[in-house]
Amino acid sequence: MQQINIIDAPKHVDEEVKIGVWLTDKRSSGKIAFLQLRDGTAYFQGVVVKSNVSEEVFEIAKKLRQETSFYVTGVIHQDKRSHFGYEIEVSNLEVVGESEDFPITPKEHGIEFLLDNRHLWLRSRRPFAIMRIRDELIRATYTFFHQEGFIKFDAPLLTGTAPEGTTELFATDYFDTEAYLSQSGQLYEEVGAMAFDKVYSFGPTFRAEKSKTRRHLTEFWMIEPEMAFMHQEESLQIQERYIAFLVQSVLDNCQYELKLLDRDPEILARYTKTPYPRISYDEAIKLCQEGGIDIQWGDDFGAPEETYISDQFEQPVFVLNYPKAIKPFYMKSHPTRDDLYICADMLAPEGYGEIIGGSEREADYDKLKAEMVKKGLDLEAYDWYLDLRKYGSVPHAGFGLGLERAITWICHLDHLREAIPFPRMINRLRP
């Protein structure tokens, strides 16, 4: 008899197998017990028929509590009524670890309670599906960029400079020198692009913003590619190919997880078609004003504006060329508009807002230095960054995608915090 995982059940129909599982729920009619089982790979049902098992096994089944761990032995059968499509007819149970008063019961719980108990909530169907899709997006990211000729170039997590300039940073003492947890690896990726042509980083970043909106996290993961000898339009084409590739990978490999989340795959399929629409910042402002939104040229877009703009399109949409006053210093100036940078944000459909921000970078030493002076930056702290423009500077572009925002959109979640494994575990570090 073979020990398998639930996910492999389709390969063992009408075979007797053994599986290590946890109990998520159960119900009984007196002569039959229905056990809802999980093993970390999938969920399915175990059926215990009193007349087909020993009295001891049936008593064990009746007394099992939520999250008790045990080995289940039985024969796999097809079950077209379930999400998974298979079940196990139980012949034996062997308890491994008892569980009592598990706090996350099958009843409804508020999101704050669930997040406070994230270390246990991860066992439930919804976070299970989200984390499996997160894993698929990570795998697909590596595949896409390697196919496109990029190399992974890791940026430091402790830095002495702030790529975004105005964003609050988490400060720390670095042997009597002030350092910060990285808010972006972008400046370091530009270093990599000058050495390796096309690079990307993929790692945690930190923003010390006291925001409790559904669109902000203080710790999240960023994918940040940088490309040498490249202008903005070429970068936009890579961005839309990347997003389409991610969505297609989920459609190809996560149908079971999408079913658990009740996410319509036909809606996601729309987002695999490129090119995506493009509008200018000027056009976006006019669009919002015509829609009755109180916004003026020069204002940044918040959640209501981004939602309204994206609602006018059935695909992700690029908003191009923002005012300099609301964007970071490193972007290239527009060739005919001194008040604009050559940049773009990609807004996700269905009201999920910005998922990618990118730009062509300023490649001219004197122009970049002038922008840094305007922004009040310490030139000495950025001397290494200016060096990139002194020794063989080239046109280059890049962008950043927040992994959790992409997950939230693709999974159609209400809360960004659901997309990260441990959004509140810092609370557990307090004495």
Side-chain angles (χ1 to χ4, degrees):
M1 179 175 54
Q2 188 175 356
Q3 183 169 330
I4 68 167
N5 289 114
I6 293 175
I7 198 69
D8 297 319
K11 304 173 186 176
H12 299 275
V13 175
D14 297 329
E15 295 179 15
E16 186 178 45
V17 298
K18 183 178 183 179
I19 310 175
V21 298
W22 290 267
L23 182 76
T24 66
D25 198 6
K26 71 175 182 180
R27 61 185 175 88
S28 175
S29 63
K31 295 182 179 180
I32 187 169
F34 299 95
L35 311 179
Q36 302 304 315
L37 309 174
R38 68 174 187 88
D39 74 339
T41 68
Y43 294 76
F44 78 165
Q45 180 172 262
V47 181
V48 189
V49 179
K50 186 175 183 179
S51 59
N52 293 344
V53 298
S54 68
E55 185 175 333
E56 179 187 6
V57 168
F58 196 74
E59 282 301 309
I60 291 173
K62 287 169 57 179
K63 293 178 180 178
L64 289 173
R65 297 184 178 92
Q66 186 182 359
E67 286 306 312
T68 295
S69 59
F70 54 97
Y71 288 108
V72 59
T73 301
V75 177
I76 300 295
H77 297 300
Q78 206 164 11
D79 177 19
K80 295 181 179 179
R81 298 164 299 176
S82 72
H83 275 134
F84 186 64
Y86 299 86
E87 66 182 16
I88 185 168
E89 182 184 350
V90 178
S91 59
N92 192 39
L93 300 171
E94 179 187 343
V95 174
V96 176
E98 297 284 357
S99 174
E100 190 170 350
D101 298 327
F102 188 71
I104 303 176
T105 61
K107 72 174 186 179
E108 287 291 324
H109 295 280
I111 185 65
E112 299 303 324
F113 172 83
L114 293 172
L115 289 171
D116 284 339
N117 289 277
R118 181 66 162 175
H119 59 297
L120 300 176
W121 186 33
L122 283 168
R123 305 180 184 194
S124 300
R125 281 177 171 79
R126 183 177 175 85
F128 165 85
I130 296 167
M131 290 301 110
R132 298 277 291 196
I133 290 174
R134 180 189 176 101
D135 177 71
E136 178 60 27
L137 293 177
I138 291 170
R139 185 204 63 78
T141 290
Y142 286 126
T143 299
F144 175 83
F145 286 110
H146 289 162
Q147 288 178 352
E148 292 277 338
F150 287 70
I151 72 164
K152 189 170 185 292
F153 186 79
D154 297 319
L157 292 184
L158 285 175
T159 72
T161 54
E164 301 296 334
T166 59
T167 305
E168 294 181 30
L169 300 173
F170 286 108
T172 185
D173 179 70
Y174 186 75
F175 303 108
D176 298 325
T177 299
E178 191 170 50
Y180 310 96
L181 291 179
S182 175
Q183 63 176 190
S184 169
Q186 181 228 306
L187 302 189
Y188 300 98
E189 294 310 298
E190 290 189 52
V191 173
M194 297 304 111
F196 300 102
D197 184 43
K198 291 188 289 188
V199 300
Y200 72 102
S201 65
F202 189 2
T205 53
F206 307 86
R207 303 284 171 94
E209 297 174 291
K210 292 182 179 180
S211 174
K212 292 185 178 181
T213 73
R214 69 173 188 153
R215 295 185 177 183
H216 290 86
L217 290 170
T218 54
E219 176 187 350
F220 56 97
W221 286 66
M222 284 277 285
I223 298 97
E224 297 181 280
E226 287 289 329
M227 300 80 72
F229 296 99
M230 188 170 288
H231 295 287
Q232 177 71 342
E233 177 55 33
E234 300 163 287
S235 175
L236 297 183
Q237 292 172 16
I238 290 178
Q239 292 172 46
E240 60 193 2
R241 288 203 305 272
Y242 174 43
I243 293 299
F245 187 87
L246 291 182
V247 174
Q248 189 62 58
S249 293
V250 170
L251 288 171
D252 290 343
N253 301 305
C254 299
Q255 285 294 323
Y256 172 61
E257 290 79 6
L258 293 174
K259 285 181 182 178
L260 290 179
L261 295 170
D262 291 323
R263 181 59 156 144
D264 187 348
E266 292 187 7
I267 292 176
L268 287 175
R270 295 203 301 254
Y271 310 144
T272 64
K273 306 295 189 288
T274 60
Y276 295 155
R278 293 149 164 74
I279 62 171
S280 69
Y281 170 86
D282 294 349
E283 291 169 330
I285 288 290
K286 184 178 179 182
L287 188 66
C288 289
Q289 290 173 338
E290 291 174 347
I293 296 175
D294 183 15
I295 190 171
Q296 304 301 317
W297 194 97
D299 293 342
D300 203 357
F301 298 124
E305 293 80 23
E306 289 181 345
T307 297
Y308 181 80
I309 294 166
S310 65
D311 282 348
Q312 313 311 306
F313 303 89
E314 290 192 345
Q315 291 176 291
V317 56
F318 287 110
V319 179
L320 311 177
N321 305 331
Y322 283 71
K324 289 183 175 181
I326 58 175
K327 289 295 181 181
F329 70 92
Y330 50 74
M331 298 181 174
K332 184 175 179 62
S333 296
H334 193 279
T336 62
R337 292 274 301 273
D338 189 53
D339 54 346
L340 301 179
Y341 283 134
I342 302 175
C343 59
D345 288 349
M346 182 191 290
L347 307 184
E350 304 175 80
Y352 284 92
E354 178 195 341
I355 55 170
I356 288 182
S359 73
E360 187 167 339
R361 316 311 192 190
E362 181 54 70
D364 183 272
Y365 177 92
D366 292 326
K367 290 180 180 179
L368 177 62
K369 186 176 179 180
E371 287 297 316
M372 294 170 73
V373 170
K374 287 181 184 177
K375 298 284 187 178
L377 300 178
D378 180 2
L379 295 181
E380 186 177 351
Y382 291 88
D383 57 355
W384 60 274
Y385 185 64
L386 286 166
D387 277 351
L388 303 180
R389 278 72 179 172
K390 290 171 64 177
Y391 306 107
S393 185
V394 299
H396 58 290
F399 61 93
L401 174 136
L403 177 63
E404 285 76 20
R405 285 195 180 190
I407 295 167
T408 302
W409 161 54
I410 290 172
C411 294
H412 204 255
L413 307 180
D414 293 327
H415 299 274
L416 184 61
R417 291 170 291 176
E418 290 187 79
I420 193 168
F422 300 110
R424 285 191 177 173
M425 290 309 287
I426 188 67
N427 295 335
R428 303 288 178 180
L429 300 179
R430 293 173 181 169

